[in-house]
């Protein structure tokens, strides 16, 4: 694939965001033109200023007032500088928020594994080989999925046991989001295991691997 083809498929934006004396390099690689809200979510992760508290200024334009607008509509391109105004989270809440972001990042890695399992499972089904010949591969797929599920349950326990004060509104919001995300992925992994088991037993040949997106 040529560089031109790569550029035509992906929208890549690198900008610098200043927040007081701090400087943050923001990188957005997307299959669609990045929106202001994409920038704000990345700023939240990097600068630890919540999207609800962000004011993003670029050449006199208040980007945060138009979260669904494409960044390029503001004349914003690679190498540009954006100013961020907004308070960081208090130290303890920030610590909790960062822990939850770390868990969320690990869940996205598990997403990649589950997606590969689904792809490989579909390839096995389409190959029309006998189940006996595929038994080793099916066992491997099921084992990988079960390992993902075990990791998810560990993350679920960590998130549930995170002691967040009721006054920590943003950390509480993120905790609820992460717990819901984990439960969704646990359900998906259970469906994948069930689909593989059914296929191994010769039941419901048309069973499709669940979509983990």
């Amino acid at each position: 694939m040529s560089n031109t083809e790569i550029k035509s498929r992906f929208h890549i934006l690198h900008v610098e965001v200043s927040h007081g004396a701090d400087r943050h390099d923001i990188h957005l690689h997307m299959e669609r033109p990045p929106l202001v809200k994409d920038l704000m979510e990345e700023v939240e992760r990097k600068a630890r200023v919540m999207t609800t508290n962000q004011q993003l200024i670029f050449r006199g334009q208040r980007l945060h007032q138009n979260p669904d607008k494409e960044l390029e509509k503001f004349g914003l391109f690679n190498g540009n500088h954006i100013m961020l105004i907004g308070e960081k989270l208090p130290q303890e809440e920030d610590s909790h928020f960062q822990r939850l972001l770390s868990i969320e990042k690990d869940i996205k890695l598990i997403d990649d594994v589950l997606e590969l399992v689904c792809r490989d499972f579909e390839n096995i089904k389409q190959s029309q080989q006998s189940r006996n010949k595929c038994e080793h591969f099916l066992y491997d797929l099921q084992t990988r999925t079960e390992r993902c599920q075990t990791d998810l349950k560990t993350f679920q326990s960590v998130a549930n046991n995170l002691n967040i004060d009721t006054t920590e509104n943003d950390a509480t919001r993120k905790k609820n989001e992460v717990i819901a995300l984990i439960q969704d992925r646990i359900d998906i992994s259970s469906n994948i295991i069930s689909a593989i088991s059914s296929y191994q037993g010769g039941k419901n040949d048309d069973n499709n691997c669940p979509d983990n997106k």
Side-chain angles (χ1 to χ4, degrees):
M1 181 179 293
S2 67
N3 289 337
T4 301
E5 289 173 323
I6 292 174
K7 290 179 180 178
S8 66
R9 285 186 56 192
F10 295 97
H11 297 265
I12 301 173
L13 180 66
H14 297 172
V15 296
E16 181 184 75
V17 174
S18 64
H19 184 222
D22 297 330
R23 298 289 184 273
H24 303 282
D25 291 324
I26 303 295
H27 306 279
L28 298 175
H29 295 194
M30 313 187 75
E31 294 185 356
R32 57 167 174 75
L35 308 177
V36 171
K37 64 183 177 183
D38 298 319
L39 173 64
M40 295 178 71
E41 289 171 359
E42 189 63 19
V43 167
E44 181 178 87
R45 286 189 284 270
K46 289 287 185 68
R48 302 191 299 282
V49 177
M50 301 299 98
T51 57
T52 52
N53 294 333
Q54 290 178 23
Q55 295 184 55
L56 294 172
I57 314 297
F58 175 67
R59 296 178 180 173
Q61 303 172 95
R62 296 181 172 273
L63 308 184
H64 55 282
Q65 294 179 346
N66 298 277
D68 294 318
K69 191 171 181 178
E70 294 177 6
L71 288 168
E72 62 184 23
K73 301 297 184 183
F74 293 94
L76 199 154
F77 300 101
N78 285 330
N80 285 153
H81 178 88
I82 301 170
M83 181 172 66
L84 166 66
I85 300 173
E87 291 186 9
K88 288 184 178 181
L89 290 174
Q91 185 174 0
E92 186 172 1
E93 183 172 7
D94 180 60
S95 175
H96 291 149
F97 198 88
Q98 286 297 100
R99 183 70 184 96
L100 290 163
L101 286 178
S102 177
I103 294 173
E104 192 174 52
K105 184 177 180 180
D106 288 332
I107 295 169
K108 289 178 180 178
L109 294 176
I110 292 176
D111 274 350
D112 293 338
V113 176
L114 293 177
E115 185 175 356
L116 287 173
V117 167
C118 279
R119 186 196 66 186
D120 291 345
F121 181 44
E122 290 300 322
N123 288 340
I124 288 174
K125 290 166 62 179
Q126 292 173 15
S127 71
Q128 297 184 340
Q129 296 186 52
S130 68
R131 288 172 177 76
N132 289 336
K133 290 184 178 180
C134 298
E135 184 176 356
H136 172 74
F137 298 106
L138 291 168
Y139 175 79
D140 177 66
L141 294 181
Q142 183 159 337
T143 299
R144 286 157 60 190
T145 306
E146 289 171 347
R147 191 158 49 239
C148 286
Q149 190 174 78
T150 297
D151 291 341
L152 286 165
K153 289 180 179 179
T154 299
F155 292 136
Q156 186 180 53
S157 177
V158 172
N160 279 325
N161 292 329
L162 200 58
N163 189 17
I164 297 177
D165 192 271
T166 55
T167 60
E168 300 178 24
N169 295 327
D170 291 303
T172 299
R173 170 183 58 82
K174 176 56 69 175
K175 178 179 178 178
N176 292 335
E177 290 175 359
V178 169
I179 289 174
L181 178 64
I182 293 171
Q183 185 58 55
D184 179 70
R185 297 312 189 260
I186 289 174
D187 293 342
I188 286 173
S189 63
S190 294
N191 290 339
I192 295 173
I193 292 169
S194 177
I196 294 173
S197 296
S198 294
Y199 187 78
Q200 287 174 311
K203 302 173 184 177
N204 193 8
D205 289 354
D206 295 328
N207 205 9
N208 290 322
C209 195
D211 184 2
N212 67 319
K213 292 298 183 183

